[in-house]
Amino acid sequence: MILIADSGSTKTDWALIDGTNVLKKVNTQGINPFHQDEDNIMRVLQDELLPVLHTVKIDKIFFYGSGCTPQKSEKVKRALQTVFSDVMNIEVNGDLLAAARAVCGHQKGIACILGTGANSCCYDGEKIVMNTPPLGYILGDEGSGAVLGKLFLNGIFKGFLSEEIKEEFLNDSKLTYAEIINRVYAQPLANRFLASIAKFIAKHIDRQELRELVEENFRNFFRRNIIQYKSYLQIHEIRIGFVGGIAGSFVDILSKVAREEGYEMGEVISSPIDGLISYHGA
């Protein structure tokens, strides 16, 4: 009996499997050790996950998460060990390995995450062999939902986006300029708030100015991240696979920008959990 988790900053997808049989799927809020302490992580597990699992005996846990660097992953592992004290085999890895296993399996490829945050890597079929540092939503994370939200807010308040779009967003969100500044600079998890704006953008993506904003975000992702893998791509002639809600929501624009930048698209999935079920179920 295996419990698999794929966690971003906004949400965590859980799957309980027995071999190739999926027994249960659960969603909880995101778990990110960069933004949450151990007690907070334990509360999410106890309040949102355990009541759904009931008394199922679990043999192994594979947790993949945003922010699960070698240093920070111990925080998540300790929380899991405390809540699931009878599980002896618990493995915590970063969400980038989850993306690679989900879209590449055991084949070579470029795997990318475009969700609340963004990341990318070269994968040799077993491990990550190259990674452009994403740097987070303040210094980097081009292509992500958080950066798309930043571009949008910058555009409506500095006048690069139309007054009509600005009024529609403020009416729709019921937020004022002061409240937005407070959410970004004074409240926790500003990246989630910024990424949530992508829903409004997707709803109005027929507006050319918003399509151009999404294109700009994706173009910066290719030009500042994927360009680093040019030699690897040429040697192995491989495609680029994507996971994440932003990739899934704007797949037509992502494909257009990829072609224009000279890249061949591979698989695009909103969540890697199904790919991970196949990988671990096998």
Side-chain angles (χ1 to χ4, degrees), residues 10 112-119 141 143-147 195 198 217 243-247 270:
T10 302
C112 306
I113 298 170
L114 294 177
T116 299
N119 209 341
D141 267 6
S144 71
V147 170
N217 194 29
V243 303
I246 296 300
S270 293

Side-chain angles (χ1 to χ4, degrees), residues 84-186:
F84 297 94
S85 57
D86 58 338
V87 181
M88 302 304 294
N89 193 333
I90 297 176
E91 185 180 307
V92 179
N93 292 296
D95 57 348
L96 195 54
L97 185 60
R101 287 177 170 177
V103 298
C104 301
H106 294 284
Q107 305 298 316
K108 291 183 176 68
I110 304 293
C112 306
I113 298 170
L114 294 177
T116 299
N119 209 341
S120 63
C121 72
C122 293
Y123 176 69
D124 69 358
E126 294 183 8
K127 61 185 182 299
I128 292 169
V129 295
M130 187 186 244
N131 169 238
T132 304
L135 299 180
Y137 72 99
I138 294 176
L139 298 179
D141 267 6
E142 301 86 4
S144 71
V147 170
L148 182 60
K150 280 191 353 181
L151 290 171
F152 177 83
L153 292 178
N154 182 283
I156 63 171
F157 289 121
K158 293 198 173 185
F160 294 102
L161 292 174
S162 67
E163 191 67 24
E164 182 183 7
I165 287 287
K166 177 182 176 179
E167 288 180 7
E168 279 190 49
F169 173 72
L170 295 178
N171 288 334
D172 187 72
S173 66
K174 304 294 191 296
L175 292 170
T176 64
Y177 171 82
E179 288 167 339
I180 289 170
I181 295 299
N182 181 63
R183 289 287 298 271
V184 173
Y185 291 104

Side-chain angles (χ1 to χ4, degrees), residues 1 13 15 30 40 54 58-59 82 88 117 127 140-141 162 183-184 190 196 219 223 246 250 258 260 267:
M1 200 75 75
D13 294 324
N40 186 278
H54 304 297
I58 296 166
D59 301 299
T82 301
M88 302 304 294
K127 61 185 182 299
D141 267 6
S162 67
R183 289 287 298 271
V184 173
S196 70
R219 208 172 299 282
R223 293 183 178 181
I246 296 300
F250 303 104
E260 291 172 354
E267 190 173 4

Side-chain angles (χ1 to χ4, degrees), residues 11-28:
K11 70 179 178 72
T12 305
D13 294 324
W14 301 83
L16 182 67
I17 67 172
D18 182 7
T20 56
N21 299 317
V22 179
L23 305 180
K24 197 178 290 287
K25 283 188 174 182
V26 185
N27 298 114
T28 68

